[in-house]
Amino acid sequence: MAEPRVHFFMANLVIEELAKVDASVSVFCDVQNTLINNLVRSFANKEHKEKLLPRLAKDTVGCFCLSEPESGSDAFALKTSAKKDGEYYLINGSKCWITSAEHAGFFLVMANAKPEAGYKGITCFIVDRNAPGVTVAKKENKLGIRASSTCSIHFDNVRVHESDILGQFGVGYKYAISTLNEGRIGIASQMIGLAQGCFDQTIRYVLERKQFGKRIFDFQGMQHQISLIRTQIEAARLLTYNAARLKEAGLPFIKEAAMAKYYSSEVAAATTTKCVEWMGGVGFTKDYPIEKYYRDCKIGAIYEGTSNIQLNTIAKLIEQDYK
């Protein structure tokens, strides 16, 4: 029986809509769908799909474990090792900045099982949360997206059977690259949703608030700022939708995904900054949600590839276009 078509574009619309209200709920949905479910659907064998996908659809959260204390943007410099021991691998190392770690039922762990091969030894292992030797550290005390748990995870001689390698041995680096390329569209969707939600809340206020006998909105200086921000949000949205459509159609999309992720995070930062200013003193208080949007947006320029990494990717692909 043919596998049902996955509507990547529709998933990103959901991520966008959720972010209009809360970026933490949005990123929870994003990571579960564009990273975890995507990794399992795209690369797992039939047995793993039958085991994991029903759980993921029903009551189980998964985690994507790549980043480490010494390997952030340089992701393939990871030190977590997987040493062969008969039919098992012993995993040792630490992962950090792991989204949803506090609630996860299992982890997709990138570990190097053949260090002499460099990054081509990186392999993806399915590790159960309750496996002996797994420790999930305390939730990080973050600036924003505070309802989304972000934790370090430590692996101390964690025994994983060789049958619990996701996909093929030594191909984890390709899986990570592929998944993150798609995941960047999800973060772009999150950022445009956040920007739109913040904008909507703020415009309702400036349409009512009066100073010097007229609405704040009626001042031409305000109208120009508002029009510019709204145009930038729409431009970011169209970049993101285009990247999502290209991916769903099976066409090249990596450059467009990097552009969407980079620009959407920039627009979200600009939007929330202006909205705090337009709201005046109340925008600086927790009585209104604007300051939360302002704090939540900053992560968009950091996770799933920093803004500088996106610009590096774009430049590399531009060069290839002209060869």
Side-chain angles (χ1 to χ4, degrees):
M1 183 177 179
E3 190 171 321
R5 181 186 175 193
V6 175
H7 294 281
F8 181 82
F9 187 85
M10 296 299 291
N12 279 275
L13 289 181
V14 172
I15 293 164
E16 178 187 350
E17 288 300 311
L18 290 172
K20 290 179 181 179
V21 180
D22 189 89
S24 296
V25 176
S26 175
V27 77
F28 180 88
C29 175
D30 175 29
V31 170
Q32 183 82 347
N33 285 280
T34 67
L35 293 186
I36 306 303
N37 290 354
N38 183 46
L39 258 175
V40 175
R41 287 192 66 261
S42 299
F43 305 114
N45 59 33
K46 184 173 183 291
E47 180 184 350
H48 287 149
K49 287 180 181 179
E50 291 176 348
K51 176 183 176 182
L52 296 177
L53 290 176
R55 292 175 61 195
L56 289 167
K58 185 179 179 183
D59 57 12
T60 301
V61 177
C63 277
F64 179 70
C65 301
L66 177 63
S67 295
E68 297 183 4
E70 301 300 323
S71 62
S73 293
D74 186 11
F76 298 148
L78 61 84
K79 301 299 183 185
T80 297
S81 63
K83 186 176 180 181
K84 196 78 163 71
D85 181 27
E87 295 181 351
Y88 291 83
Y89 285 88
L90 296 178
I91 298 181
N92 285 279
S94 296
K95 299 292 184 180
C96 62
W97 313 120
I98 307 305
T99 300
S100 302
E102 185 179 26
H103 308 103
F106 69 89
F107 311 110
L108 299 180
V109 182
M110 297 295 175
N112 201 322
K114 193 177 180 181
E116 62 272 22
Y119 66 87
K120 291 186 178 180
I122 296 173
T123 303
C124 184
F125 294 88
I126 304 168
V127 181
D128 190 88
R129 181 192 186 91
N130 297 318
V134 175
T135 304
V136 178
K138 69 178 179 66
K139 183 179 174 181
E140 298 288 352
N141 187 15
K142 306 192 300 292
L143 169 72
I145 56 167
R146 294 177 61 84
S148 169
S149 70
T150 306
C151 309
S152 292
I153 306 174
H154 307 293
F155 303 92
D156 184 11
N157 283 327
V158 178
R159 289 173 63 84
V160 179
H161 195 270
E162 60 187 7
S163 64
D164 282 327
I165 290 176
L166 187 141
Q168 299 177 15
F169 179 92
V171 193
Y173 73 98
K174 287 187 177 180
Y175 299 162
I177 291 171
S178 172
T179 302
L180 288 173
N181 283 336
E182 296 181 20
R184 286 165 183 162
I185 302 173
I187 299 302
S189 297
Q190 181 200 29
M191 289 295 108
I192 58 175
L194 184 156
Q196 187 68 61
C198 186
F199 185 87
D200 292 344
Q201 295 274 357
T202 303
I203 296 306
R204 293 188 186 101
Y205 179 85
V206 300
L207 285 170
E208 295 180 359
R209 170 75 169 165
K210 291 185 177 180
Q211 289 289 280
F212 303 101
K214 59 181 178 179
R215 302 178 307 173
I216 293 174
F217 185 87
D218 293 328
F219 290 93
Q220 188 181 62
M222 283 292 295
Q223 291 178 347
H224 289 179
Q225 293 179 53
I226 290 167
S227 298
L228 175 61
I229 289 294
R230 183 61 184 84
T231 300
Q232 290 174 334
I233 293 173
E234 191 64 17
R237 177 176 287 114
L238 295 175
L239 272 174
T240 303
Y241 286 5
N242 180 54
R245 289 190 179 106
L246 288 171
K247 189 274 168 187
E248 191 167 83
L251 298 171
F253 68 91
I254 296 173
K255 179 176 64 181
E256 289 77 10
M259 288 176 170
K261 201 265 188 187
Y262 165 73
Y263 189 67
S264 295
S265 65
E266 292 289 304
V267 168
T271 300
T272 56
T273 297
K274 280 299 182 183
C275 286
V276 170
E277 295 173 8
W278 297 341
M279 294 280 288
V282 297
F284 200 66
T285 71
K286 292 184 180 293
D287 295 333
Y288 289 80
I290 308 307
E291 61 84 29
K292 180 179 181 298
Y293 288 112
Y294 180 81
R295 289 184 290 106
D296 285 347
C297 81
K298 193 57 192 173
I299 192 61
I302 300 171
Y303 61 8
E304 294 201 35
T306 65
S307 289
N308 282 339
I309 290 296
Q310 304 314 309
L311 293 172
N312 287 350
T313 299
I314 294 164
K316 181 173 67 176
L317 293 170
I318 288 172
E319 182 181 24
Q320 289 179 10
D321 287 344
Y322 286 86
K323 282 186 176 179

